[in-house]
Amino acid sequence: ALNETWPLGAVGLLNCPVKLVRGAASPQQVHAVTDRLQQALPRATLETIADAGHQLALTHPHLVDPLVAAHVAENASAASVARFAQAA
């Protein structure tokens, strides 16, 4: 829910790859939040889409979709390798 709060330290406990994506023209609050999340999340990467605003998934799907697909593909392979290594 939008009224929930999470301590930033708790977010930092997530040990999984995270792709943060924001529009360059998003409100300053979005930039502040994504900057803090990138600092707090140990495996986060941040992409900023030029000329995009807060609704970039709707306005720039041709740029956002490949980022998400690449992130999933890269990390699905890594997860599979880790899972097989643990089982061995």
Side-chain angles (χ1 to χ4, degrees), residues 10-68:
V11 172
L13 296 174
L14 293 172
N15 188 23
C16 61
V18 175
K19 175 69 77 177
L20 302 167
V21 183
R22 68 182 178 198
S26 292
Q28 186 56 39
Q29 298 92 326
V30 172
H31 290 264
V33 168
T34 52
D35 287 343
R36 290 187 72 191
L37 285 171
Q38 184 184 25
Q39 292 169 0
L41 291 162
R43 297 176 63 194
T45 57
L46 174 62
E47 299 281 344
T48 301
I49 306 295
D51 301 320
H54 185 59
Q55 297 292 328
L56 65 161
L58 298 175
T59 60
H60 293 71
H62 60 287
L63 299 175
V64 174
D65 292 355
L67 289 174
V68 173

